[in-house]
Amino acid sequence: MANELQNLQEQVAAALGARCLKWEGGELPAVHVPPAEVYSVVRDLYDDAGLAFRFLTSLCGIHFTADATGDGEQLGLIYFLHDLPRNRRMRVKTVFPVAAAEVESITPIFASANWMEREAYDFYGIKFKNHPNLIRIFNIETMTVFPLRKDFPLEDRTRHDKNDPMFGR
Amino acid sequence: MNASAPTPRQTQGGVTLVSEAPPGLSGEGFFATSLSAAIGLARAKSMWPMPYATSCCGIEFMATAAPHYDLARFAMERFAYSPRQADLLMVMGTISKKLGPVLRSVYEQMAEPRWVLSVGACASSGGIFDTYSVLQGIDRIIPVDVYVPGCPPRPEQIIDGLLRVHELAMSESLRRRDTAEYQARLGYYGIA
Amino acid sequence: MALPTDSPLRPEKAYTTLNLGPTHPATHGIFQSVLKMDGEIVMDAEPTLGYIHRAFEKIAERRPYYQITTLTDRLNYCSSPINNIGWHLAVEKLISLEVPRRVQFLRVVIMEFARIADHLICNPIIAADAGALTGFMYMFQWREAIYDIFESVGGARLTTNLGRIGGFERDFSPETWRLIHKFLREFPAAFEEFHGMLARNRIFMDRTVGVGGIRAERALQYGFTGPNLRAAGVDYDVRVAQPYSGYDALAFDIPVGAQGDVYDRFMVRQEEVRQSLRLIHQAVAKVAAEPEGVFRADAPDWVLPPKEEVYSGMEALIYHFKVVMGETKIPVGEIYHPVEGGNGELGYYIVSDGGRTPYRLHMRRPCFIYYQAFPEIIRGSLLSDAVLTLSSLNVIAGEMDA
């Protein structure tokens, strides 16, 4: 197991070169890449015959508050890739400031990325260049906020029954 | 005309059978009752429900309709999938704010008399989903007659709710829908 | 039957726009597709999602770990126990908690019953949409039998909230075992009757063979997993690829289809029910071989102590308080744990910052991912076949809409 992870790390480092910013080991390894290189990294991991990560398991956004990073508010994306024949999994991670929340869409590589990217856009406001149809997926299109960001309140704000001084919250 | 007052013999489903019928109407197969009770009985015993199943409660509704709990016992196995033919709107499951207008237009398309049964915590109050996207109870957009609590309610509870709707249908006055109170209720929701 | 119309929409031709859903009875849930129709042939479809968006991932960021079990119930509500136990396995991976073998096999029993329950709703509905409502009425009786088993273990029928982090709340009762053995004894004959009614039925085959097919390469492109991917001929199953909860000690086959059409999906699910029965038999035998009475891990930080001890002992009271308030120390880290759900790979990705709630919880919901292939699958088919295709994909709105 440890050997396999070591092999994977070496293979990925060789394939990505300077684009590999950081390697995160563990049971599900991750490679950190700059946001501008996401598309080319996923493309190379797909095309490289020795790696061949040709199944996109999932894709999700994440929001780091300024407290969590100590370096200003940031958004991130995590891609879960799977090499089915060799049964290896890995993640590709990227983080970027909220003001520059734009990466290139991977829909040309994976058809399944279409809705996952729309979900990340709907929840976090991350824009995807070259996406065929980047509109909100779950919420109504007139919504102006991005609900899964940490500063957005969870609870329905039209409720007043919880304002009770004795029994409310 | 017989001078003695008719003695109630049997009460069944709001219909009172009397021993002495008006002249000309007596004999085998006749009984006298009020028109509203007869119509109420007919409405309750041939109610066409429209299942508006969105999530988990819809699966419990399937169980209610399946042979084990057998909705056909209550003459309700005929589902009206068109709101225009339905008497009872059964809302089962979470209604999101995005779906709210759709539900409302379904209700508006139903013809009077119409009843609404709200099945499950989500439809009744938003349930555990006190979130930005979920409507906190369908009574914010349409009037509701009977609420069934539970997440999801057991089929027995759903049947209990249905029987309460039947009771409503049997007992309410034929003119209830013309009353000022009812009109005010619809007015509150902005439904013409 | 699918017609060979790979040709794109022609601008000079007038197409009918048909709004299928969101309240259409044939869609079994809240799906909306705006279809472009040429006569009765579907030329294009534009699905709309989010009609029951409930923000699971947002709620999960505000709930201690043990309370999130309740949310997972409502993802794929046809097979809730798989979601519950999948979540428990994910948390146990995060806190590095090892559960006893007996608990693992008890979980296998429950998860395989849930899989049978899931397939017993999908396949009869395919049959019902093809015109055979009898199968649905017949098989739902057996779902009731499975509900009885869940009820005797956890107290609820559908949204079970079954089990706890570290195992189960209590041991299976003798009544539970009686119900399980009764089911194993009586169900197979009824199931084979249902199978015999449809599997070689001329009408059913005419309606399903060659309808709604997808090739393996496209299925992988669209992120298919579970029975739908296996029907297209790819033998990927999380229970084999990443064994969890003792599946590596059990023998079972993975059925695969050839064409990935509605008929193959139906047959794959039918065979999976049989394999699940095989797994339950083995798991029940394994449970019997383990020391009796073990139903949870010995982890007082996570598992609620018995009530009588809480009322009489200081230590138990402290642990009870810690568990209920979610004050147990949780390691910082990120884990992803997949399980084989009723309709594909169900994964939980937990990002923990050491707080009492997850910093971020992402759920890989199989329905959401593979439903995007729906427009491509139904393009060129008849409208009635599109409805059949939708039910054969077993898309669950609660899971799809997060």
Side-chain angles (χ1 to χ4, degrees):
Chain A
M1 185 70 191
N3 243 347
E4 279 172 35
L5 284 176
Q6 188 67 31
N7 281 347
L8 180 63
Q9 183 179 0
E10 279 161 19
Q11 273 179 301
V12 170
L16 301 186
R19 289 172 295 175
C20 174
L21 298 179
K22 194 175 119 194
W23 179 263
E24 209 179 294
E27 178 250 359
L28 183 63
V31 59
H32 291 244
V33 302
E37 301 290 347
V38 166
Y39 179 82
S40 71
V41 165
V42 175
R43 178 97 253 172
D44 288 354
L45 291 175
Y46 186 95
D47 288 339
D48 190 310
L51 290 162
F53 283 94
R54 292 188 184 156
F55 187 80
L56 179 67
T57 304
S58 195
L59 182 168
C60 73
I62 189 166
H63 180 217
F64 299 103
T65 53
D67 291 344
T69 59
D71 186 27
E73 241 182 304
Q74 283 179 335
L75 290 169
L77 278 171
I78 301 146
Y79 299 77
F80 296 77
L81 301 172
H82 198 164
D83 172 8
L84 286 172
R86 295 189 195 84
N87 196 18
R88 296 194 292 187
R89 290 173 188 265
M90 70 173 288
R91 287 173 293 162
V92 174
K93 277 178 152 186
T94 182
V95 289
F96 34 83
V98 174
E102 189 171 43
V103 296
E104 200 168 338
S105 167
I106 59 162
T107 42
I109 311 173
F110 295 106
S112 55
N114 188 327
W115 285 8
M116 302 187 204
E117 288 179 352
R118 278 175 66 186
E119 187 191 52
Y121 169 71
D122 190 352
F123 285 172
Y124 291 98
I126 300 166
K127 290 198 181 68
F128 294 90
K129 258 181 288 182
N130 303 331
H131 189 284
N133 184 23
L134 193 65
I135 52 172
R136 283 183 183 271
I137 188 158
F138 295 132
N139 293 302
I140 45 174
E141 273 149 49
T142 49
M143 196 165 175
T144 51
V145 290
F146 299 107
L148 254 77
R149 290 195 184 173
K150 291 280 178 188
D151 46 0
F152 184 76
L154 164 72
E155 295 176 350
D156 184 276
R157 277 173 288 180
T158 58
R159 275 179 80 153
H160 302 293
D161 53 326
K162 289 192 249 170
N163 300 343
D164 190 285
M166 293 297 281
F167 301 103
R169 280 189 233 160
Chain B
M1 193 87 179
N2 199 325
S4 64
T7 45
R9 188 194 289 163
Q10 205 180 336
T11 306
Q12 190 191 16
V15 179
T16 308
L17 303 178
V18 291
S19 58
E20 300 294 336
L25 288 176
S26 59
E28 282 297 311
F30 279 100
F31 65 87
T33 181
S34 69
L35 183 63
S36 68
I39 290 181
L41 186 70
R43 280 177 177 173
K45 300 298 174 189
S46 66
M47 195 170 266
W48 286 14
M50 176 175 172
Y52 196 87
T54 61
S55 52
C56 333
C57 294
I59 307 288
E60 278 301 62
F61 172 71
M62 278 188 192
T64 316
H68 196 84
Y69 290 96
D70 199 10
L71 213 47
R73 291 180 291 161
F74 310 101
M76 292 185 74
E77 80 275 29
R78 200 286 182 196
F79 302 136
Y81 284 113
S82 160
R84 293 179 201 281
Q85 298 168 347
D87 304 310
L88 170 65
L89 179 63
M90 299 177 69
V91 183
M92 297 166 286
T94 315
I95 303 294
S96 68
K97 288 176 183 164
K98 193 171 176 177
L99 193 60
V102 180
L103 176 64
R104 196 185 148 98
S105 74
V106 165
Y107 180 78
E108 282 170 351
Q109 285 173 40
M110 290 171 68
E112 292 282 7
R114 53 190 167 182
W115 294 273
V116 177
L117 178 70
S118 162
V119 177
C122 287
S124 304
S125 71
I128 61 169
F129 299 106
D130 181 9
T131 66
Y132 60 89
S133 61
V134 174
L135 190 69
Q136 302 297 305
I138 58 166
D139 50 9
R140 294 193 171 205
I141 50 169
I142 56 172
V144 176
D145 292 284
V146 176
Y147 299 89
V148 180
C151 188
R154 295 179 60 93
E156 291 95 330
Q157 287 173 275
I158 298 179
I159 290 174
D160 181 55
L162 288 171
L163 292 180
R164 277 160 202 271
V165 176
H166 287 186
E167 272 169 33
L168 268 180
M170 279 193 281
S171 60
E172 79 175 23
S173 143
L174 285 183
R175 298 195 190 280
R176 182 190 155 215
R177 313 262 154 186
D178 300 324
T179 56
E181 188 198 356
Y182 188 78
Q183 294 300 329
R185 191 88 193 126
L186 287 189
Y188 170 77
Y189 288 106
I191 296 170
Chain C
M1 240 159 280
L3 304 170
T5 45
D6 280 339
S7 60
L9 295 175
R10 280 178 291 149
E12 76 280 6
K13 201 165 157 37
Y15 295 102
T16 317
T17 302
L18 187 70
N19 197 2
L20 184 69
T23 58
H24 196 278
T27 54
H28 308 298
I30 298 297
F31 305 100
Q32 186 188 24
S33 292
V34 181
L35 307 174
K36 274 204 167 34
M37 307 286 296
D38 180 8
E40 214 185 322
I41 300 167
V42 179
M43 299 303 288
D44 203 6
E46 177 64 46
T48 313
L49 285 76
Y51 283 113
I52 65 163
H53 175 48
R54 301 187 269 194
F56 288 116
E57 295 180 0
K58 183 83 176 174
I59 303 176
E61 290 175 10
R62 312 291 166 94
R63 297 277 183 274
Y65 286 81
Y66 72 96
Q67 286 186 4
I68 295 171
T69 317
T70 338
L71 297 177
T72 63
D73 272 324
R74 286 144 185 92
L75 281 170
N76 179 352
Y77 34 75
C78 290
S79 51
S80 310
I82 301 185
N83 311 344
N84 299 153
I85 294 174
W87 167 248
H88 296 146
L89 289 165
V91 177
E92 283 159 16
K93 194 185 221 176
L94 177 70
I95 61 178
S96 311
L97 179 66
E98 188 77 30
V99 300
R101 288 295 267 181
R102 186 169 188 270
V103 177
Q104 294 186 353
F105 293 121
L106 287 178
R107 282 178 169 173
V108 171
V109 171
I110 290 296
M111 283 195 278
E112 293 307 320
F113 269 121
R115 193 177 322 282
I116 294 176
D118 190 272
H119 293 351
L120 280 193
I121 212 159
C122 178
N123 273 356
I125 280 185
I126 299 177
D129 281 351
L133 194 64
T134 321
F136 174 77
M137 291 296 187
Y138 195 38
M139 281 294 110
F140 217 97
Q141 284 291 79
W142 292 97
R143 251 188 90 91
E144 288 288 341
I146 297 177
Y147 282 157
D148 286 345
I149 294 170
F150 292 161
E151 207 177 343
S152 74
V153 176
R157 287 158 52 89
L158 184 70
T159 50
T160 48
N161 198 12
L162 202 70
R164 299 285 182 267
I165 295 166
F168 287 92
E169 189 201 1
R170 58 175 77 85
D171 201 1
F172 286 18
S173 65
E175 172 66 6
T176 311
W177 289 113
R178 192 186 68 78
L179 289 170
I180 290 174
H181 287 298
K182 182 166 182 280
F183 186 89
L184 292 177
R185 220 172 30 245
E186 294 174 1
F187 173 68
F191 181 70
E192 292 309 326
E193 217 175 324
F194 169 71
H195 186 79
M197 189 171 85
L198 292 164
R200 303 300 295 170
N201 182 319
R202 180 83 239 168
I203 303 168
F204 184 70
M205 287 181 77
D206 277 351
R207 283 299 309 277
T208 54
V209 175
V211 170
I214 184 164
R215 282 176 296 116
E217 309 88 81
R218 292 306 290 166
L220 287 171
Q221 264 281 309
Y222 274 114
F224 273 49
T225 45
N228 296 334
L229 179 65
R230 291 194 280 274
V234 182
D235 61 344
Y236 172 65
D237 188 317
V238 185
R239 289 174 291 176
V240 174
Q242 287 206 334
Y244 52 90
S245 197
Y247 272 109
D248 42 353
L250 306 171
F252 62 105
D253 297 324
I254 306 177
V256 290
Q259 321 183 48
D261 56 9
V262 175
Y263 186 71
D264 279 4
R265 284 180 212 127
F266 176 84
M267 291 302 263
V268 162
R269 287 202 178 90
Q270 290 290 89
E271 187 53 36
E272 281 192 10
V273 170
R274 296 197 190 97
Q275 297 300 328
S276 291
L277 288 171
R278 229 179 115 189
L279 279 165
I280 295 170
H281 274 292
Q282 294 174 52
V284 167
K286 294 260 186 198
V287 168
E290 294 288 327
E292 219 175 298
V294 181
F295 56 94
R296 59 187 178 191
D298 184 19
D301 278 342
W302 288 97
V303 179
L304 279 176
K307 258 289 184 289
E308 57 273 15
E309 285 178 30
V310 174
Y311 286 140
S312 58
M314 191 61 182
E315 195 188 347
L317 181 65
I318 292 171
Y319 277 123
H320 179 94
F321 189 77
K322 274 180 82 170
V323 172
V324 170
M325 299 306 288
E327 297 299 341
T328 314
K329 188 125 186 64
I330 292 160
V332 179
E334 300 176 14
I335 64 108
Y336 175 77
H337 187 81
V339 293
E340 182 69 27
N343 46 15
E345 176 180 329
L346 173 75
Y348 295 103
Y349 177 58
I350 309 173
V351 178
S352 164
D353 63 348
R356 65 193 284 268
T357 67
Y359 185 80
R360 167 93 169 99
L361 172 66
H362 173 67
M363 298 161 175
R364 185 208 191 263
R365 310 177 306 278
C367 293
F368 168 66
I369 292 167
Y370 66 64
Y371 181 53
Q372 27 186 336
F374 183 63
E376 186 176 309
I377 296 177
I378 64 164
R379 201 164 290 146
S381 69
L382 298 172
L383 178 59
S384 53
D385 292 344
V387 171
L388 208 51
T389 307
L390 179 64
S391 47
S392 78
L393 286 172
N394 195 16
V395 185
I396 309 287
E399 180 173 276
M400 182 183 76
D401 280 347

